[in-house]
Amino acid sequence: AVPVMSASRPPPSISEGAADGGAADGDDIAAPTETETSSERPVRSLRETNTTDRFHDAVLSELASDGELPFHVCVAPYLLLLARVVLSSLACPTRPFRSWCPGVCAADTVGRAPGSHPFPGGDDFASAAACLASAPLWSARAIVAHRRLISTRRDDDDGNACPTLWNEAEATFGGCLSSLGGGRRPFGSDDERNRRVASEVNLEWGLAQHHFRRVGRGKESFSEALGISGLEVEVTGAEGKRTKYQQKATAQYLVRAKPRSAVPAADAGDEKDGPAATDDAQKENIERQMIKHDDVSDDALLLEKIRFEDNADNEHVDLTILEQSILLALCLDVKNDNPADGLTGEQMGGYLARVLNQHDDWMVYATALLERAWLECERTHGRERAILQIQALADQHTNRLTLTQSTFKSVEEDSAPAQDRLRNLHSIVYPPRWDMLRDLAERYARLGVVTSAAGIFEELELWDDVVECYRIAGREGRAEEVVRKRLSERETPRMWAALGDLTSDPSHFERALELSNGRYYDAHVALGRHWFERGDLKRATGHFLDGLDIKPLMPHVWFRVGTISMQLEDWDTALRAFTEVVQQEPEEGDAWANVAAIHMHRKNPAEAYPALLESLKQNRNNWRVWVSKLYTCIDLKKYDEAIQSCNDLLGLKARRRSSEDIPNPEERCVRAIVGGSLQCYHDARATGDDVAVDSARRTLVRVGQLLDKMKETTDSGSWLYDVSARFNDEMGRKEEVFGDLMRQYRSLQAQPNWEEGEADRARMVSLVAEIAGHHKAGGKREGLVKGKLLANGVAKRIRTKCEAESEKELKELGAIVDDIQRALDDLK
């Protein structure tokens, strides 16, 4: 492996720390002895350079773009700064030196229009730069390298980070495509070179879109590069075996790739400057990067690669390095276009297996190994090999002796020199070493290997992750020791906040705010959480809002502010908070539901209704939202949707466990639906609007279906039969009315101690009167006798339980019996 790049100490006129009279951090690094070469000396950290920390930080500040800083432990960032300035000036002499920073003075340029340069020789420089055909391409590559150095996390980056850098990349690549892209002949009659360069420019433009996370992620550019290159790619399936003990061949994913005209193996090495082919010794060294299954376990189940039944599928035509890079880009496109599931992994694995058949370039092969390891991390049988593979790939870029790099021979002799590794770096997506280490540490942490993860995070100076890993490992003392050591070297808001997390002392968060002049977001949020847990809601809200003033795109914090404000009945703040949440995360169904709840509290159902619809789009299994929609639809007289809400509530109750306690539609809601639907029908008939009458009639049909469903599936009590009887009476269904009344009577009879309640007795007497009225209307002796027996039975039960308190009800029942008796006498 090659040593980490370092550069000589910059002159005192450049380094801000040189004039301080004292050594800055990192100046105490021992110089190599006469017998110790720089390649033998182990690198102590990613950040080990001969520059001062102040100079390093100043360079990082210069490389900042749109408020985003480069990763802080990168090595020799001033080389990138120098490359950006030089290459940007060569590609476009009229462009400002620091074109990646918005607001840079346009006068700060190397060249301008002829005759208007602020210094002698500007016209000559611009003329000479115009003769460099590849300068725009190298400038574009430097822009992409600059973007990849910016330390935005891939999960948080929505494609809107660093817009100034993106605009510069788009403009620069646009010039490259116009001068070197398809259809151009920059190299005259050398068609092969013209085709190769055009394909590579399109490939790198697609990778730039991927790194900037733009829409499409370079898909069209990858297809264009594939078409120009002449590479024929077929995605198919073939029978083969994946494991050592597999007896029956099964369908396996297969990617076939070959040039339009087959390239002899001796000529397929590298079409760029350098040797035409890779010798056998180099290929062996390249292949040695792979960690094999048998290296991990003697009981490995999987074969190193799929063994296809047709021998023709086990053979391959050699591809050039550019063609292998295009296959890797197509594999990346599969990942960008599909969800992270097993099928996507199989598709990507087909492309990677095709690239891994050749060992022509160190970094192309390493990229395929790395992407395969990422896929295998999600598989049970390949996870251990995958972690060791990622570790090996990370270690090979240092001169350390590690588990996967255990001899100096493997460090110095078995590794590719730096120039070989850098040759094709712009055509692949191999990550920076710090990004690979961070990914490895996160994977270790997810697997529970938190102490090893903490060591890697400590090397990367990701102190929050270091502290969290030690806390998970139960080593709070070690975590606090790390934080206090950092604070003794240099006080920073981040370290004071970490100490506050460990000790739960709010004074540490306040100290972090003092150091940051109140601008440290994490300290505000931590103090807000601290006071929330202690019940001081107003104080907690103040800190949360202060933090959101600094970093407003934090939907989970806005959600917390909204819930606290609802508890404080600060409805304006709550509405603002949840509105921010749904603007930033439109899929957050609970936030939409809370927006609706606030509008409902304010008696504004028209505003609540669309919020409820959005909430139900995201989660249709939240019964509370269905109840809210039921109330809102009744208020808005949307009775059809209210009926649908009742049906959905009944469906949820039938599907879910009884422990969830999902309620049935309430009595007042059902009565409102029935009454409102009948009123709409009567109003439509009064206006003579046939369309409205037809619509109201369909609504009444749905009401009847809802009532029937509730009677079959719920035990709502006697009120449901009362509502149904009233509805059927309005609809003219006399027989069904009588049936509902009798069911209501039996339901009331089943209630324990109904005779002792004044309201229950009154309801029973009223019900008996209605039933007796139906028997009288029928005019049959049998019905009248049943009515008389029913009234006498109710009177007897009331008299037995509470005769003294029921004088009024007993008189009414006696009158009912006398009335029925008179009707019987009339029939004689």
Side-chain angles (χ1 to χ4, degrees):
V2 295
V4 175
M5 293 174 58
S6 63
S8 60
R9 181 187 301 277
S13 59
I14 297 178
S15 174
E16 298 180 15
D20 292 345
D25 293 344
D27 286 350
D28 57 347
I29 298 174
T33 63
E34 295 180 359
T35 59
E36 181 185 28
T37 66
S38 61
S39 63
E40 294 171 344
R41 187 163 48 92
V43 176
R44 294 175 176 82
S45 73
L46 282 176
R47 195 168 172 174
E48 181 178 319
T49 63
N50 291 328
T51 62
T52 65
D53 278 357
R54 291 181 63 184
F55 176 77
H56 182 90
D57 292 343
V59 171
L60 293 184
S61 297
E62 288 294 310
L63 287 170
S65 179
D66 296 296
E68 300 286 355
L69 288 169
F71 198 72
H72 52 285
V73 296
C74 58
V75 178
Y78 48 84
L79 296 178
L80 175 62
L81 178 62
L82 182 62
R84 289 286 284 114
V85 171
V86 171
L87 294 173
S88 177
S89 300
L90 289 173
C92 183
T94 59
R95 184 180 295 166
F97 277 130
R98 296 169 64 246
S99 54
W100 57 90
C101 297
V104 172
C105 179
D108 187 17
T109 60
V110 175
R112 293 185 182 178
S116 61
H117 295 287
F119 57 88
D123 289 335
D124 294 338
F125 176 86
S127 299
C131 298
L132 300 175
S134 64
L137 179 59
W138 282 104
S139 179
R141 289 170 170 175
I143 294 169
V144 174
H146 190 172
R147 174 64 186 91
R148 299 188 71 187
L149 191 65
I150 300 294
S151 59
T152 55
R153 300 302 298 270
R154 60 179 66 90
D155 293 337
D156 299 334
D157 188 353
D158 58 358
N160 294 320
C162 306
T164 305
L165 265 183
W166 165 249
N167 292 335
E168 185 182 5
E170 192 174 26
T172 307
F173 268 108
C176 294
L177 291 170
S178 64
S179 60
L180 303 174
R184 300 289 180 177
R185 301 172 63 87
F187 304 106
S189 60
D190 191 345
D191 292 336
E192 179 64 22
R193 190 178 182 188
N194 289 327
R195 178 186 59 79
R196 188 175 67 244
V197 171
S199 179
E200 184 164 356
V201 170
N202 278 279
L203 173 62
E204 293 187 25
W205 169 227
L207 293 177
Q209 296 172 66
H210 167 78
H211 292 311
F212 279 92
R213 302 182 69 82
R214 309 305 293 184
V215 175
R217 304 290 179 86
K219 185 180 185 70
E220 293 183 2
S221 298
F222 295 151
S223 299
E224 185 72 17
L226 176 64
I228 295 173
S229 70
L231 180 65
E232 296 178 353
V233 178
E234 179 187 4
V235 179
T236 183
E239 289 191 340
K241 298 176 181 177
R242 187 186 293 266
T243 67
K244 293 180 179 178
Y245 310 109
Q246 187 173 345
Q247 298 298 317
K248 182 181 178 181
T250 56
Q252 307 291 340
Y253 203 85
L254 175 64
V255 173
R256 298 191 181 107
K258 64 178 182 179
R260 288 176 186 165
S261 57
V263 179
D267 298 329
D270 188 358
E271 64 280 356
K272 300 183 181 181
D273 295 337
T278 308
D279 60 35
D280 292 339
Q282 287 176 310
K283 288 187 176 182
E284 289 180 6
N285 286 339
I286 292 172
E287 188 177 10
R288 199 174 288 122
Q289 295 180 88
M290 181 190 293
I291 302 292
K292 299 183 178 180
H293 287 296
D294 291 337
D295 297 335
V296 177
S297 172
D298 294 334
D299 301 326
L301 180 65
L302 296 175
L303 296 169
E304 293 303 328
K305 57 183 179 181
I306 297 172
R307 187 187 303 124
F308 293 99
E309 292 292 287
D310 188 347
N311 286 331
D313 292 328
N314 294 316
E315 299 173 357
H316 65 275
V317 178
D318 283 349
L319 304 178
T320 64
I321 302 300
L322 174 60
E323 289 165 343
Q324 295 175 50
S325 300
I326 291 174
L327 283 181
L328 288 176
L330 296 177
C331 174
L332 185 68
D333 182 56
V334 171
K335 179 181 178 182
N336 291 337
D337 261 6
N338 297 280
D341 55 21
L343 180 58
T344 301
E346 288 294 326
Q347 290 178 281
M348 295 176 65
Y351 287 98
L352 297 175
R354 180 62 184 87
V355 174
L356 290 172
N357 282 329
Q358 292 180 234
H359 323 116
D360 301 318
D361 181 84
W362 183 282
M363 293 306 296
V364 170
Y365 191 72
T367 301
L369 287 176
L370 180 61
E371 293 195 23
R372 187 182 70 175
W374 285 340
L375 294 178
E376 289 183 347
C377 277
E378 308 303 322
R379 301 171 184 168
T380 303
H381 294 292
R383 185 175 295 122
E384 187 175 357
R385 194 267 289 264
I387 291 294
L388 285 175
Q389 181 70 77
I390 298 173
Q391 181 74 67
L393 293 172
D395 290 342
Q396 72 177 4
H397 293 285
T398 71
N399 53 8
R400 300 176 179 178
L401 297 181
T402 64
L403 177 66
T404 57
Q405 186 171 267
S406 57
T407 64
F408 280 109
K409 180 178 181 297
S410 64
V411 174
E412 296 184 350
E413 299 179 16
D414 295 342
S415 299
Q419 62 270 22
D420 288 352
R421 301 190 187 202
L422 295 174
R423 184 178 295 122
N424 301 297
L425 192 63
H426 302 290
S427 301
I428 55 179
V429 289
Y430 200 82
R433 181 168 180 259
W434 54 263
D435 197 18
M436 186 187 299
L437 285 175
R438 181 166 63 180
D439 175 79
L440 176 62
E442 290 171 349
R443 294 181 187 276
Y444 273 143
R446 286 197 294 270
L447 291 174
V449 192
V450 289
T451 303
S452 297
I456 299 175
F457 283 132
E458 193 166 351
E459 180 182 358
L460 296 174
E461 300 183 17
L462 296 173
W463 302 111
D464 292 344
D465 295 307
V466 172
V467 171
E468 184 62 25
C469 285
Y470 281 132
R471 290 178 65 179
I472 294 173
R475 301 177 61 184
E476 287 83 359
R478 171 59 180 155
E480 187 172 347
E481 178 185 340
V482 169
V483 173
R484 291 191 183 277
K485 181 180 178 182
R486 295 295 303 170
L487 286 172
S488 66
E489 296 172 358
R490 181 184 178 188
E491 285 188 309
T492 63
R494 184 173 57 171
M495 285 297 99
W496 276 112
L499 185 60
D501 286 331
L502 289 169
T503 61
S504 300
D505 186 347
S507 64
H508 297 324
F509 298 121
E510 291 168 359
R511 176 59 179 159
L513 291 176
E514 289 177 14
L515 290 174
S516 65
N517 295 322
R519 300 296 298 170
Y520 191 56
Y521 162 82
D522 289 339
H524 279 299
V525 173
L527 282 171
R529 192 181 304 115
H530 172 83
W531 294 117
F532 174 77
E533 291 171 354
R534 282 154 182 77
D536 193 340
L537 300 185
K538 288 187 177 181
R539 200 168 181 180
T541 304
H543 281 292
F544 283 135
L545 290 175
D546 288 341
L548 290 168
D549 286 340
I550 301 166
K551 201 172 183 180
L553 299 180
M554 287 289 138
H556 65 283
V557 180
W558 279 113
F559 195 97
R560 177 73 67 87
V561 170
T563 56
I564 294 174
S565 299
M566 290 180 74
Q567 294 179 55
L568 295 173
E569 298 187 355
D570 183 357
W571 304 108
D572 290 335
T573 303
L575 182 59
R576 174 195 168 204
F578 288 121
T579 301
E580 289 284 350
V581 175
V582 298
Q583 287 175 347
Q584 297 174 27
E585 297 286 348
E587 297 82 13
E588 183 57 63
D590 289 342
W592 282 111
N594 287 333
V595 169
I598 295 169
H599 286 305
M600 291 172 68
H601 177 82
R602 291 178 161 182
K603 310 297 183 186
N604 191 356
E607 295 292 335
Y609 177 75
L612 289 168
L613 294 183
E614 290 295 331
S615 179
L616 289 170
K617 282 182 184 178
Q618 310 307 325
N619 183 9
R620 299 187 66 82
N621 294 323
N622 189 334
W623 64 266
R624 293 178 176 82
V625 182
W626 284 113
V627 171
S628 298
K629 185 185 178 187
L630 174 58
Y631 287 135
T632 303
C633 290
I634 291 172
D635 289 340
L636 296 175
K637 298 184 179 180
K638 295 178 179 289
Y639 297 115
D640 285 312
E641 293 193 47
I643 294 168
Q644 183 60 45
S645 298
C646 291
N647 285 322
D648 283 307
L649 271 176
L650 295 173
L652 278 176
K653 188 177 179 67
R655 294 193 302 269
R656 309 293 278 273
R657 297 184 299 271
S658 59
S659 59
E660 296 187 31
D661 199 23
I662 299 177
N664 292 316
E666 294 182 75
E667 176 183 357
R668 56 178 175 173
C669 294
V670 177
R671 290 187 182 275
I673 292 172
V674 172
S677 300
L678 289 169
Q679 186 62 49
C680 288
Y681 177 70
H682 294 317
D683 291 344
R685 291 189 63 184
T687 58
D689 188 342
D690 293 339
V691 175
V693 170
D694 188 53
S695 175
R697 188 178 290 114
R698 288 195 298 269
T699 301
L700 292 177
V701 171
R702 297 188 188 101
V703 171
Q705 293 170 346
L706 172 63
L707 293 174
D708 291 340
K709 184 176 182 179
M710 290 185 67
K711 286 186 286 187
E712 293 173 0
T713 61
T714 68
D715 185 16
S716 298
S718 61
W719 67 264
L720 178 59
Y721 300 110
D722 180 56
V723 173
S724 180
R726 302 290 174 265
F727 175 75
N728 285 323
D729 186 50
E730 288 284 343
M731 301 298 291
R733 303 166 184 166
K734 300 302 180 182
E735 293 183 2
E736 295 183 18
V737 170
F738 181 74
D740 287 331
L741 291 175
M742 291 305 298
R743 294 187 190 96
Q744 184 183 2
Y745 168 75
R746 287 191 288 270
S747 178
L748 283 174
Q749 284 276 25
Q751 292 181 10
N753 301 321
W754 62 267
E755 305 90 342
E756 299 176 3
E758 183 178 353
D760 290 337
R761 291 196 305 268
R763 189 180 305 116
M764 178 63 82
V765 172
S766 175
L767 179 59
V768 170
E770 284 194 67
I771 294 173
H774 275 272
H775 284 306
K776 287 179 60 179
K780 293 183 180 180
R781 181 179 183 82
E782 182 181 358
L784 291 171
V785 170
K786 289 180 179 179
K788 181 179 178 181
L789 290 174
L790 185 141
N792 283 327
V794 171
K796 182 177 179 181
R797 291 192 60 174
I798 294 176
R799 194 177 294 111
T800 303
K801 289 290 187 73
C802 49
E803 182 176 3
E805 297 87 359
S806 308
E807 182 179 351
K808 178 182 177 182
E809 290 82 0
L810 291 173
K811 286 183 179 180
E812 291 179 2
L813 289 170
I816 293 171
V817 172
D818 292 342
D819 193 30
I820 294 175
Q821 185 60 52
R822 284 192 294 270
L824 285 170
D825 293 340
D826 291 340
L827 291 176
K828 291 181 181 179

Short mmCIF file of all heavy atoms in Angstrom, two decimals, residues 235-254:
data_model
loop_
_atom_site.label_atom_id
_atom_site.label_comp_id
_atom_site.label_asym_id
_atom_site.label_seq_id
_atom_site.Cartn_x
_atom_site.Cartn_y
_atom_site.Cartn_z
N VAL A 235 -28.40 -8.62 -20.28
CA VAL A 235 -28.80 -9.04 -18.94
C VAL A 235 -29.78 -10.20 -19.09
O VAL A 235 -30.84 -10.05 -19.70
CB VAL A 235 -29.46 -7.88 -18.16
CG1 VAL A 235 -29.89 -8.35 -16.78
CG2 VAL A 235 -28.48 -6.72 -18.03
N THR A 236 -29.43 -11.34 -18.55
CA THR A 236 -30.25 -12.54 -18.77
C THR A 236 -30.12 -13.45 -17.55
O THR A 236 -29.62 -13.05 -16.50
CB THR A 236 -29.80 -13.26 -20.06
OG1 THR A 236 -30.66 -14.36 -20.28
CG2 THR A 236 -28.36 -13.73 -19.96
N GLY A 237 -30.54 -14.67 -17.71
CA GLY A 237 -30.43 -15.67 -16.65
C GLY A 237 -29.91 -16.97 -17.22
O GLY A 237 -30.08 -17.26 -18.41
N ALA A 238 -29.28 -17.76 -16.37
CA ALA A 238 -28.76 -19.06 -16.80
C ALA A 238 -28.72 -19.98 -15.60
O ALA A 238 -28.61 -19.53 -14.45
CB ALA A 238 -27.37 -18.90 -17.41
N GLU A 239 -28.80 -21.27 -15.85
CA GLU A 239 -28.78 -22.23 -14.75
C GLU A 239 -27.36 -22.38 -14.23
O GLU A 239 -26.39 -22.46 -15.00
CB GLU A 239 -29.32 -23.58 -15.23
CG GLU A 239 -30.82 -23.59 -15.47
CD GLU A 239 -31.35 -24.99 -15.68
OE1 GLU A 239 -30.54 -25.89 -16.00
OE2 GLU A 239 -32.57 -25.18 -15.50
N GLY A 240 -27.25 -22.41 -12.90
CA GLY A 240 -25.94 -22.54 -12.30
C GLY A 240 -26.06 -22.89 -10.83
O GLY A 240 -27.15 -22.95 -10.27
N LYS A 241 -24.90 -23.10 -10.20
CA LYS A 241 -24.84 -23.47 -8.79
C LYS A 241 -24.07 -22.40 -8.02
O LYS A 241 -23.04 -21.93 -8.47
CB LYS A 241 -24.16 -24.83 -8.62
CG LYS A 241 -24.92 -25.96 -9.31
CD LYS A 241 -24.17 -27.29 -9.22
CE LYS A 241 -24.93 -28.40 -9.94
NZ LYS A 241 -24.20 -29.68 -9.92
N ARG A 242 -24.62 -22.06 -6.85
CA ARG A 242 -24.05 -20.99 -6.04
C ARG A 242 -23.28 -21.53 -4.83
O ARG A 242 -22.38 -20.87 -4.33
CB ARG A 242 -25.18 -20.06 -5.59
CG ARG A 242 -24.74 -18.81 -4.88
CD ARG A 242 -25.94 -18.05 -4.35
NE ARG A 242 -26.77 -17.52 -5.43
CZ ARG A 242 -26.65 -16.30 -5.92
NH1 ARG A 242 -25.73 -15.49 -5.43
NH2 ARG A 242 -27.45 -15.89 -6.88
N THR A 243 -23.65 -22.72 -4.34
CA THR A 243 -23.03 -23.27 -3.14
C THR A 243 -22.25 -24.53 -3.47
O THR A 243 -22.44 -25.16 -4.51
CB THR A 243 -24.08 -23.59 -2.07
OG1 THR A 243 -24.91 -24.66 -2.53
CG2 THR A 243 -24.95 -22.38 -1.78
N LYS A 244 -21.35 -24.93 -2.55
CA LYS A 244 -20.47 -26.07 -2.79
C LYS A 244 -21.24 -27.38 -2.86
O LYS A 244 -20.86 -28.29 -3.59
CB LYS A 244 -19.43 -26.15 -1.67
CG LYS A 244 -18.44 -25.00 -1.67
CD LYS A 244 -17.45 -25.16 -0.52
CE LYS A 244 -16.44 -24.02 -0.53
NZ LYS A 244 -15.49 -24.13 0.61
N TYR A 245 -22.29 -27.49 -2.10
CA TYR A 245 -22.99 -28.76 -1.98
C TYR A 245 -24.32 -28.77 -2.75
O TYR A 245 -25.14 -29.66 -2.57
CB TYR A 245 -23.26 -29.07 -0.51
CG TYR A 245 -22.01 -28.93 0.33
CD1 TYR A 245 -21.88 -27.88 1.22
CD2 TYR A 245 -20.95 -29.82 0.19
CE1 TYR A 245 -20.73 -27.72 1.97
CE2 TYR A 245 -19.79 -29.68 0.93
CZ TYR A 245 -19.68 -28.62 1.83
OH TYR A 245 -18.54 -28.47 2.56
N GLN A 246 -24.51 -27.81 -3.61
CA GLN A 246 -25.75 -27.73 -4.37
C GLN A 246 -25.77 -28.82 -5.43
O GLN A 246 -24.82 -28.97 -6.21
CB GLN A 246 -25.88 -26.34 -5.01
CG GLN A 246 -27.19 -26.08 -5.69
CD GLN A 246 -27.31 -24.62 -6.16
OE1 GLN A 246 -26.53 -23.78 -5.73
NE2 GLN A 246 -28.26 -24.37 -7.02
N GLN A 247 -26.83 -29.61 -5.48
CA GLN A 247 -26.95 -30.71 -6.42
C GLN A 247 -27.68 -30.31 -7.70
O GLN A 247 -27.32 -30.75 -8.79
CB GLN A 247 -27.69 -31.88 -5.74
CG GLN A 247 -26.98 -32.45 -4.54
CD GLN A 247 -25.62 -33.03 -4.88
OE1 GLN A 247 -25.48 -33.71 -5.89
NE2 GLN A 247 -24.62 -32.74 -4.06
N LYS A 248 -28.70 -29.49 -7.55
CA LYS A 248 -29.53 -29.11 -8.69
C LYS A 248 -29.26 -27.67 -9.07
O LYS A 248 -29.31 -26.77 -8.22
CB LYS A 248 -31.01 -29.30 -8.35
CG LYS A 248 -31.94 -28.98 -9.51
CD LYS A 248 -33.40 -29.17 -9.10
CE LYS A 248 -34.35 -28.81 -10.22
NZ LYS A 248 -35.77 -28.97 -9.83
N ALA A 249 -28.98 -27.44 -10.33
CA ALA A 249 -28.74 -26.07 -10.80
C ALA A 249 -30.04 -25.29 -10.83
O ALA A 249 -31.10 -25.83 -11.18
CB ALA A 249 -28.12 -26.10 -12.20
N THR A 250 -29.96 -24.03 -10.45
CA THR A 250 -31.13 -23.15 -10.45
C THR A 250 -30.82 -21.90 -11.27
O THR A 250 -29.67 -21.64 -11.63
CB THR A 250 -31.51 -22.75 -9.01
OG1 THR A 250 -30.39 -22.14 -8.37
CG2 THR A 250 -31.94 -23.97 -8.20
N ALA A 251 -31.85 -21.14 -11.55
CA ALA A 251 -31.69 -19.93 -12.36
C ALA A 251 -30.86 -18.90 -11.61
O ALA A 251 -31.11 -18.62 -10.44
CB ALA A 251 -33.06 -19.35 -12.71
N GLN A 252 -29.85 -18.36 -12.28
CA GLN A 252 -28.96 -17.36 -11.70
C GLN A 252 -28.91 -16.14 -12.62
O GLN A 252 -29.04 -16.25 -13.85
CB GLN A 252 -27.55 -17.92 -11.52
CG GLN A 252 -27.47 -19.22 -10.76
CD GLN A 252 -27.82 -19.08 -9.30
OE1 GLN A 252 -27.79 -17.98 -8.75
NE2 GLN A 252 -28.18 -20.18 -8.65
N TYR A 253 -28.71 -14.99 -12.01
CA TYR A 253 -28.64 -13.73 -12.77
C TYR A 253 -27.28 -13.69 -13.49
O TYR A 253 -26.23 -13.99 -12.91
CB TYR A 253 -28.76 -12.56 -11.81
CG TYR A 253 -29.23 -11.28 -12.44
CD1 TYR A 253 -30.58 -11.02 -12.61
CD2 TYR A 253 -28.33 -10.32 -12.87
CE1 TYR A 253 -31.02 -9.84 -13.18
CE2 TYR A 253 -28.74 -9.15 -13.45
CZ TYR A 253 -30.09 -8.91 -13.60
OH TYR A 253 -30.52 -7.74 -14.17
N LEU A 254 -27.29 -13.29 -14.75
CA LEU A 254 -26.07 -13.30 -15.56
C LEU A 254 -26.01 -12.04 -16.42
O LEU A 254 -27.01 -11.65 -17.03
CB LEU A 254 -26.05 -14.54 -16.46
CG LEU A 254 -24.90 -14.65 -17.47
CD1 LEU A 254 -23.56 -14.74 -16.75
CD2 LEU A 254 -25.11 -15.85 -18.39
#
